[in-house]
Amino acid sequence: MSLDYVKFSPGFEKFMPKEYRDMVEHGPFGKKVTVSQMGSFKEILEEHPMCAGCAMTLFIRLAIISFPNPEDTITVGTAGCGRLAISQAAIPFVYGNYGDQNGVASGLSRGLRLRFGDKPKDVVVMVGDGGMADIGFSGTLHSWFRKEKFTTIMLDNEVYGNTGGQESGMTNQGAVLKMAPLGKKFEKMDMLGMAKIAGCAYVATVVPNNPRRVESVIKKAVLIAREVGPTYIQAYTSCNIEYAIPTDKVMEDAKNVENDRYQFSEYVTEDAKQYLAERYGYKEFLPKPAAAISKA
Amino acid sequence: MYLVADINVEICAATSCKLCTQFCPEANTILYNNDAGKEKGLKYGSAYVAVDRCKGCAQCVWVCDNMAKHHAIKMVMIDQLPQAAITDNVTYGEKDTTALLVSQMVG
Ligand SMILES: Cc1ncc(C[n+]2csc(CCOP(=O)(O)OP(=O)(O)O)c2C)c(N)n1
Ligand code: SF4
Ligand code: SF4
Ligand code: SF4
């Protein structure tokens, strides 16, 4: 895991596929790329079998572009739609049994710290709402209570998309799905509240209709997880198949859901603010100058 | 046959707001050529689609129509495009890309 693993082995360059050559020569490794440069550099994410127009796909694309050091990042996933794309990116991807992602990531992130010491290696979990809030629930919560330092991202499409439309704990109350024909009986789980209670240092909600915001929350979450504590991002990533959203209306739906139950929210502990300000120059988290406070 | 997105260079190059690619779910699909349209006196270069990667969702059409309000993208049957970009013919540069346009019709 370093810039070395994306270099050509001597003598093999001319045998590599074009996509690989483009990625080595014009990819984001070792550079700082931003979402506003999209369309002008070769992305790490390659072709994959996720559905046309899927917002989860878009979110994964944006998330991977936003990783602060892609050459030093490992993603962890589980069963569900997202892994179909995350596994097609040129960064190591670890895949275990359904729901065990935060256990796997705990071991991985501890091991990387032992092996590489202070050199940051970022571990990012990206899994569906079913895999996290239902099947992997206890593992997720325990990793937060143990203050395991890695980033957990929920790809919340409010359904089990990969298996044809069962309800999950994150499905909205009343929603009728193919395999939940009577409608969801209980409320959407408050994973954000639980993340805060369990001690996450950073908790944010985001919707992919705002690419720069996705970039901003991913960067903060990954940086904070290096030293301060666990971080959690909950992203609304609609399933246009199970919710029958026409693909050209996916962003319209994202806007409606953002207004309804996915308003942007960001919770940053004082330690995390201080860390971002001092270590990474985040001006928004610098302490207010004394003069401004005394005038108020 | 199937639909792919097609970007009108003249409309896009009048502003080239670079919004659509930020919303295309597919990676490396809507790309930019900063020189496209310059021969016609248009300033900003244009977006174009590597049609072999486009899944035809039309999200970019919605974004260009409703967010950018430029109406530069239309969905077109692939065999109706006289020429288009494909991944094999894209060259990445320092700040943008160029593509040799080829006919999609084989045989
Ligand atoms: C132990 C186990 N049980 C069940 C499955 C079948 N399975 C695969 S994906 C999936 C649902 C995924 O739903 P979610 O986690 O919400 O992700 P989505 O597909 O919606 O992104 C299930 C039940 C499995 N792979 N392993
Ligand atoms: S089933 Fe739904 S979540 Fe899965 S890839 Fe298709 S649209 Fe996306
Ligand atoms: S949104 Fe429309 S005008 Fe803007 S870059 Fe894309 S095609 Fe061009
Ligand atoms: S139609 Fe969909 S896949 Fe094709 S370029 Fe537009 S947004 Fe991308």
Side-chain angles (χ1 to χ4, degrees):
Chain A
M1 273 180 85
S2 70
L3 278 175
D4 286 339
Y5 87 88
V6 283
K7 283 186 189 145
F8 302 115
S9 298
F12 279 86
E13 181 182 340
K14 59 177 183 291
F15 300 110
M16 300 310 279
K18 177 186 186 316
E19 286 85 344
Y20 194 89
R21 270 183 281 123
D22 284 342
M23 193 190 65
V24 173
E25 286 156 9
H26 302 284
F29 294 110
K31 299 174 200 155
K32 301 277 175 239
V33 297
T34 64
V35 297
S36 45
Q37 294 165 317
M38 283 163 80
S40 56
F41 61 90
K42 172 74 176 78
E43 290 170 48
I44 295 176
L45 183 60
E46 257 303 329
E47 286 181 298
H48 55 72
M50 287 180 76
C51 300
C54 175
M56 191 185 291
T57 314
L58 171 59
F59 178 84
I60 291 167
R61 181 177 174 228
L62 294 168
I64 290 177
I65 288 171
S66 309
F67 289 160
N69 289 36
E71 63 278 9
D72 289 312
T73 304
I74 297 186
T75 51
V76 180
T78 199
C81 289
R83 46 88 193 247
L84 299 171
I86 306 164
S87 56
Q88 302 307 313
I91 37 182
F93 172 69
V94 181
Y95 181 79
N97 284 319
Y98 193 35
D100 72 2
Q101 60 278 351
N102 278 41
V104 170
S106 299
L108 189 59
S109 105
R110 289 191 202 184
L112 290 166
R113 281 168 214 277
L114 284 176
R115 166 70 180 78
F116 293 101
D118 289 341
K119 178 147 185 27
K121 300 284 175 188
D122 301 320
V123 174
V124 181
V125 171
M126 267 197 271
V127 304
D129 46 307
M132 188 181 301
D134 297 346
I135 316 299
F137 182 70
S138 65
T140 305
L141 268 275
H142 273 274
S143 74
W144 291 342
F145 278 117
R146 290 195 308 269
K147 307 284 185 291
E148 301 285 352
K149 291 191 210 111
F150 60 85
T151 299
T152 305
I153 301 175
M154 182 194 284
L155 306 165
D156 183 14
N157 57 3
E158 306 187 320
V159 64
Y160 285 61
N162 207 192
T163 42
Q166 299 79 9
E167 71 175 40
S168 85
M170 300 300 287
T171 300
N172 217 24
Q173 192 168 24
V176 174
L177 295 159
K178 270 191 227 145
M179 303 224 189
L182 300 179
K184 169 94 178 290
K185 295 272 186 295
F186 59 97
E187 284 174 21
K188 185 176 175 77
M189 285 167 67
D190 180 12
M191 284 296 280
L192 299 161
M194 282 182 269
K196 290 173 203 164
I197 288 172
C200 285
Y202 180 84
V203 180
T205 41
V206 77
V207 174
N209 63 4
N210 192 332
R212 290 198 192 193
R213 187 175 280 160
V214 173
E215 177 177 34
S216 150
V217 300
I218 300 267
K219 282 213 158 63
K220 286 181 216 167
V222 172
L223 295 176
I224 291 170
R226 284 181 183 171
E227 287 189 31
V228 186
T231 58
Y232 175 55
I233 295 172
Q234 190 176 303
Y236 175 66
T237 56
S238 67
C239 174
N240 50 286
I241 298 292
E242 294 307 333
Y243 280 89
I245 308 164
T247 54
D248 64 343
K249 296 279 186 292
V250 163
M251 284 300 120
E252 210 170 288
D253 164 79
K255 187 80 209 144
N256 293 338
V257 171
E258 183 178 30
N259 292 339
D260 179 59
R261 56 185 175 280
Y262 251 96
Q263 284 94 352
F264 173 61
S265 68
E266 193 178 51
Y267 159 89
V268 198
T269 60
E270 289 308 315
D271 285 353
K273 284 182 189 166
Q274 193 185 347
Y275 170 79
L276 283 185
E278 286 173 6
R279 187 69 70 83
Y280 294 100
Y282 275 75
K283 291 206 183 73
E284 62 195 281
F285 297 128
L286 282 173
K288 300 275 173 291
I293 296 171
S294 62
K295 264 189 210 158
Chain B
M1 282 306 145
Y2 55 95
L3 291 164
V4 291
D6 183 40
I7 300 179
N8 180 312
V9 174
E10 294 187 12
I11 305 177
C12 180
T15 54
S16 194
C17 64
K18 304 202 168 177
L19 214 51
C20 49
T21 192
Q22 295 179 29
F23 294 86
C24 170
E26 303 304 318
N28 303 303
T29 304
I30 304 187
L31 302 166
Y32 292 101
N33 177 348
N34 290 341
D35 291 325
K38 289 225 164 122
E39 74 285 357
K40 293 179 189 152
L42 295 155
K43 261 198 202 152
Y44 298 107
S46 173
Y48 64 92
V49 177
V51 291
D52 54 324
R53 289 177 183 264
C54 171
K55 288 185 182 167
C57 68
Q59 237 168 86
C60 54
V61 176
W62 190 88
V63 167
C64 191
D65 285 355
N66 295 284
M67 294 176 85
K69 303 206 189 310
H70 290 140
H71 310 280
I73 314 182
K74 297 228 165 346
M75 299 308 292
V76 178
M77 281 291 170
I78 187 140
D79 63 340
Q80 302 299 308
L81 280 176
Q83 287 197 310
I86 54 168
T87 302
D88 275 351
N89 293 341
V90 170
T91 308
Y92 285 83
E94 278 308 301
K95 292 208 166 113
D96 69 341
T97 71
T98 46
L100 180 73
L101 303 184
V102 290
S103 167
Q104 296 303 300
M105 293 308 291
V106 186

